[in-house]
Amino acid sequence: MDAIHLKDLAFFAYHGLYEEEARLGQRFLVDLTCWLDLSAACESDEYDQTVCYAGLVKSVEQAVTGTRFNLIERLAAEIVKAVFNTDERIQKVRVKVEKPGAPLPVPSGTASVEIMRNRPG
């Protein structure tokens, strides 16, 4: 199966367990892979035979900024749901959410979650 990759998408949002995270917000980075059959686009070179990258980015942006979550695990699941709703041709999604400013008890480091899901049904 073919894949579309979008990497290092940066968004500002207010996810996290702590009051300071809800009040101040922080940057979140998203990597996205969508699996689908791209053979028609490869043969035709026609825009309507592929998935709109900008549409995917807008869907991810809405998922990241639209609702506040305590856990980046829950945020990742919401992104997957939004991506599947973007285009019915997408059969599988992998999303990685990175939280560079995660409150870790060390001077430097990031936290991230990666999930992979097949289209339901």
Side-chain angles (χ1 to χ4, degrees):
M1 193 174 298
D2 308 314
I4 293 172
H5 304 276
L6 299 173
K7 293 185 55 105
D8 298 324
L9 306 175
F11 305 98
F12 193 85
Y14 297 86
H15 309 292
L17 289 174
Y18 300 109
E19 182 181 317
E20 295 82 15
E21 293 175 299
R23 187 169 39 84
L24 300 174
Q26 61 190 293
R27 187 170 48 108
F28 293 83
L29 300 174
V30 175
D31 292 345
L32 179 69
T33 301
C34 301
W35 281 271
L36 66 157
D37 182 359
L38 294 171
S39 58
C42 292
E43 293 173 18
S44 71
D45 196 31
E46 295 293 329
Y47 176 73
D48 64 349
Q49 297 297 313
T50 192
V51 174
C52 175
Y53 307 159
L56 287 172
V57 172
K58 291 287 186 190
S59 294
V60 173
E61 179 180 37
Q62 179 58 38
V64 173
T65 62
T67 303
R68 182 181 181 281
F69 299 108
N70 289 326
L71 304 176
I72 57 175
E73 291 85 347
R74 178 63 184 95
L75 174 58
E78 189 67 18
I79 293 169
V80 168
K81 180 179 165 185
V83 168
F84 280 139
N85 287 334
T86 300
D87 195 296
E88 64 186 23
R89 294 172 291 186
I90 297 170
Q91 295 302 307
K92 183 176 179 181
V93 174
R94 178 176 54 214
V95 63
K96 177 181 173 187
V97 176
E98 183 176 340
K99 188 175 179 180
L104 301 172
V106 292
S108 181
T110 66
S112 66
V113 168
E114 181 175 0
I115 65 172
M116 188 180 310
R117 299 289 185 270
N118 293 313
R119 178 175 286 284

